[in-house]
Amino acid sequence: MKRRPSYGLALSGGGARGIAHLGVLLAMEENGFHPSVISGTSMGAMVAVGYGLGIPVMKMLSILKNEIKPIHITNINIRRLGIFNLRKVENLFREMAPKDDFSILKIPTFLSVTNLNSGHNEIISEGKFIKFTIASASIPLLFRPVVIDGTYYVDGGLTKNMAAEILKDKCDRLIGVHVNHIAEKEEFRRMKDIAARAYHLAIYNTIRNELGYCDYVVDPPGTRRYTSLDFNKAEEIFDVGYKEGLYLVKQLETDEADARHSLTTELKKSYKKITGRLWSK
């Protein structure tokens, strides 16, 4: 019997919109689809690492709802290199991880970060993972950079907001989940609307080539209703991802069925050619 194809999963950044990744994962899990390799950027990195640690999807959602709330004023530190810090998130990972090393993760995991010193993207998959996970989500100016071995690292979304290419030779089929849906916008009423639009377009340009490596792209239109800091709407965003994940599952099931049918047809043809008889069970 032909084995089931292996699936890779590339998760984009997007702040609170990245909660949609959890919905997609749950829809896949409920229907027997489990990624064999995963990559993540920013919030996608946090979800990827949480999944690699074996934390159940609904527990991750609970943590995001109750622990990673909209930024508290007590985290402000104007005099440093960023207004806020992600120390609370870092501490949560340290509590959940038995060891700070990629080797403990249940599936191969790749994190996209930006090396602020060189200006280049780096994909991290070995050694300690906690600080790189935090670095991948550290939006410049909003969050201070993470210094690792003397190098300053920030949000991987600046240079590669979805790391798909790194997975292309590590699975049979690759799924990209992009949670920053770009749709035509008719008007801009406030300066922040223009700033947000410009930021999203710039970030989208970092993944245009990456999308070409994906066999499937999940791009929930509903995510455009939410901002990067809408953690108080976690359940709504989760539901957006879950519904889109169910559409993905249907496509995966259809394609697998078609592949099995094609294989059976080829086997029947070969059997008849070799034996001169029709295939019979």
Side-chain angles (χ1 to χ4, degrees):
M1 179 180 289
K2 187 176 185 293
R3 70 173 179 85
R4 174 173 241 182
S6 61
Y7 292 94
L9 194 61
L11 307 179
S12 77
R17 289 186 296 273
I19 296 170
H21 293 316
L22 296 176
V24 173
L25 275 168
L26 184 62
M28 291 178 64
E29 283 188 347
E30 287 180 341
N31 291 278
F33 293 95
H34 303 274
S36 60
V37 62
I38 193 167
S39 69
T41 303
S42 200
M43 179 57 76
M46 292 187 184
V47 171
V49 167
Y51 191 80
L53 285 170
I55 302 170
V57 168
M58 296 310 293
K59 183 174 180 180
M60 282 195 272
L61 176 61
S62 178
I63 290 171
L64 288 171
K65 283 170 54 182
N66 299 311
E67 302 293 341
I68 321 267
K69 296 177 181 178
I71 301 164
H72 297 294
I73 196 74
T74 54
N75 288 335
I76 291 182
N77 195 333
I78 297 291
R79 294 176 295 176
R80 295 296 183 94
L81 299 178
I83 299 175
F84 306 102
N85 67 65
L86 289 170
R87 185 172 300 149
K88 185 174 184 180
V89 181
E90 180 178 345
N91 290 339
L92 282 171
F93 275 115
R94 294 197 183 280
E95 292 172 7
M96 294 184 290
K99 181 181 178 182
D100 184 8
D101 194 276
F102 275 92
S103 64
I104 71 164
L105 302 181
K106 298 182 184 301
I107 60 174
T109 303
F110 299 80
L111 306 180
S112 170
V113 296
T114 298
N115 182 321
L116 198 58
N117 295 81
S118 69
H120 296 151
N121 180 264
E122 293 184 16
I123 303 296
I124 309 297
S125 61
E126 296 180 341
K128 296 182 177 181
F129 66 84
I130 293 178
K131 281 192 175 295
F132 280 112
T133 305
I134 301 305
S136 184
S138 295
I139 301 171
L141 301 182
L142 187 58
F143 299 106
R144 65 178 184 239
V146 176
V147 181
I148 303 173
D149 295 331
T151 300
Y152 289 71
Y153 289 95
V154 295
D155 186 8
L158 288 179
T159 47
K160 188 172 292 186
N161 200 37
M162 188 176 73
E165 182 180 8
I166 190 68
L167 303 183
K168 66 184 179 69
D169 296 325
K170 298 175 174 61
C171 57
D172 297 320
R173 297 177 186 173
L174 179 54
I175 303 165
V177 185
H178 176 249
V179 296
N180 305 290
H181 186 78
I182 302 293
E184 185 172 346
K185 197 172 179 66
E186 294 182 358
E187 62 178 350
F188 303 91
R189 297 182 178 181
R190 296 166 294 183
M191 185 182 298
K192 73 174 187 178
D193 294 335
I194 296 175
R197 181 68 166 180
Y199 175 76
H200 289 152
L201 292 175
I203 293 298
Y204 184 70
N205 281 327
T206 72
I207 69 165
R208 285 183 181 275
N209 292 336
E210 299 295 308
L211 293 172
Y213 295 107
C214 298
D215 298 291
Y216 306 90
V217 175
V218 179
D219 187 13
T223 58
R224 70 179 184 271
R225 299 194 299 267
Y226 305 96
T227 72
S228 298
L229 297 177
D230 276 342
F231 288 96
N232 60 323
K233 299 177 181 177
E235 290 189 358
E236 293 179 25
I237 300 171
F238 176 88
D239 288 342
V240 169
Y242 182 74
K243 290 175 182 177
E244 205 70 20
L246 292 177
Y247 293 133
L248 169 67
V249 165
K250 289 181 181 178
Q251 186 62 59
L252 297 181
E253 291 175 338
T254 298
D255 290 350
E256 285 194 5
D258 289 345
R260 287 193 296 271
H261 177 74
S262 296
L263 177 62
T264 301
T265 300
E266 291 302 315
L267 287 173
K268 287 181 178 180
K269 288 180 180 178
S270 297
Y271 180 82
K272 183 179 180 181
K273 185 176 182 180
I274 295 171
T275 66
R277 293 178 294 174
L278 293 175
W279 178 289
S280 61
K281 290 186 179 180

